[in-house]
């Protein structure tokens, strides 16, 4: 009897919890209400089975409990009528679960012909965004063209890619009310581009192009997440999708640089950096280092504002006496930074996990990255010492 009461209490408490608890889905910012409806159907059907099965168990425990003088129930291993009911009921339940999802998914991959094309590139641990230019076509890409200056891997010889628009940073704007076809690629591991209020999402598998579409319906600034555990910097893999009116979107789009313009600017920047002193912190070299830190994903683990993340902050790092896990200390100078970046597993900084991967950098790129870190300042005491030494 106690078991039956416990089962009934579990059923009542579970149903009450789902009715009164506040964990409902957030308001939609797109056209995918059918996704929420499918979720509701799944919850109702599985909840109904949960209630029926547990109530039946409670009834069975009470109805067939042991009592003195009661004869044992006859042995009946087969019940064809019961089997037919179970098979029929299970079949109907599964169809009710699968059918709505299949309908929604069929619409999910059937892109409207007038959809705006947006490419999302996932890389540990950041998002990049590309849109077609005036020709309405995205340029061809290939992994052999990927570099710090060309993170999308666009083919420089493809005319269609010269006017492609590259969104700076981790933010992309979209016009309200227009369907958007999202094409997704990954440079390294499995990612998943997910904007929760929009609901739409899809795994991004290295070596293939994933896709989905949606129509933004509510203006706002929404955070984009990675919904697959993609490494130690996964929680910091954030971006933003800004939904706005057509005029604001047009102004933002007009200000975007094209691939051709970015290539010209980076070529000029590289030429200026090459003329700077080898260990200098010239403006061009620092700018190149800042671009490299973004291109290589360093900013996912290292901040420049002093806040803690997966790795040490770069603010005030240069010139600091860093404590190692083995109890030793090391002065963070140019030689330290060069050796650490080249072989990050050779040393283990105290308080931080030894998870930094090796990064393929040329000597010029390494010098630029070191110059950028150096430009972020030294600890106050160290800076004062350097000023006295200079006098």
């Amino acid at each position: 009897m106690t078991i039956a009461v416990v089962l009934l209490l579990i059923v009542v408490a579970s149903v009450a919890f789902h009715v009164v608890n506040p964990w409902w889905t957030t308001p939609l910012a797109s056209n995918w209400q059918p996704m929420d409806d499918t979720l509701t159907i799944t919850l109702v059907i599985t909840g109904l089975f949960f209630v029926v099965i547990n109530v039946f168990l409670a009834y069975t425990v009470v109805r067939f409990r042991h009592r003195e003088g009661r004869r044992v129930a006859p042995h009946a291993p087969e019940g064809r009528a019961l089997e037919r009911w179970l098979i029929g009921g299970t079949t109907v339940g599964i169809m009710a679960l699968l059918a709505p999802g299949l309908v929604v998914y069929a619409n999910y991959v059937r892109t409207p012909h007038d959809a705006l094309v947006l490419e999302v590139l996932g890389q540990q641990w950041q998002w990049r965004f590309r849109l077609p230019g005036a020709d309405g076509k995205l340029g061809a890409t290939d992994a052999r063209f990927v570099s710090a200056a060309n993170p999308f891997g666009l083919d420089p010889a493809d005319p269609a890619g010269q006017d492609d628009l590259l969104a700076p940073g981790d933010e992309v704007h979209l016009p309200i009310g227009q369907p958007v076809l999202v094409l997704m690629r990954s440079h390294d591991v499995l990612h998943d581009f997910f904007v929760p209020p929009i609901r739409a999402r899809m795994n991004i598998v290295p070596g293939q192009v994933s896709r989905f579409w949606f129509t933004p319906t509510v203006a706002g600034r929404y955070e984009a997440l990675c919904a697959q555990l993609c490494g130690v910097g996964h929680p910091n893999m954030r971006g933003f999708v800004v939904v706005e009116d057509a005029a604001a979107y047009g102004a933002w789009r007009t200000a975007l640089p094209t691939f051709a313009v970015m290539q010209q600017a980076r070529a000029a920047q590289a030429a200026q950096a090459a003329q700077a002193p080898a260990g200098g912190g010239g403006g061009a070299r620092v700018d190149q280092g800042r671009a490299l830190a973004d291109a290589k994903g360093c900013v996912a683990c290292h901040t420049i504002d002093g806040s803690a993340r997966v790795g040490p902050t770069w603010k005030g790092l240069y010139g600091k006496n860093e404590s190692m896990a083995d109890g030793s200390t090391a002065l963070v100078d140019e030689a330290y930074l060069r050796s650490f970046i080249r072989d990050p597993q050779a040393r283990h900084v105290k308080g931080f996990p030894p998870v930094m991967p090796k990064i393929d950098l040329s000597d010029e790129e390494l010098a630029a990255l070191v110059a950028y870190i150096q430009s972020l300042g030294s600890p106050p005491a160290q800076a004062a010492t350097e000023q006295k030494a200079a006098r």
Side-chain angles (χ1 to χ4, degrees), residues 32 99-111 213:
W32 283 117
L102 293 175
V103 173
V104 171
Y105 187 78
N107 293 327
Y108 193 50
V109 297
R110 190 183 298 118
T111 308
W213 76 275

Side-chain angles (χ1 to χ4, degrees), residues 126-193:
Q126 59 187 324
W127 299 111
R128 299 181 187 280
F129 305 100
R130 176 170 68 119
L131 297 99
D135 61 1
K137 298 187 296 183
L138 289 174
T141 62
D142 195 293
R144 57 196 172 97
F145 297 122
V146 175
S147 66
N150 185 9
F152 284 93
L154 273 81
D155 185 352
D158 181 15
Q162 296 300 311
D163 66 344
D164 284 2
L165 303 174
L166 310 181
D170 56 1
E171 181 173 292
V172 66
H173 292 220
L174 297 173
I176 190 170
Q178 180 173 352
V180 180
L181 168 61
V182 184
L183 305 176
M184 297 166 290
R185 294 187 291 129
S186 171
H187 270 344
D188 36 48
V189 299
L190 187 68
H191 295 291
D192 189 313
F193 184 70

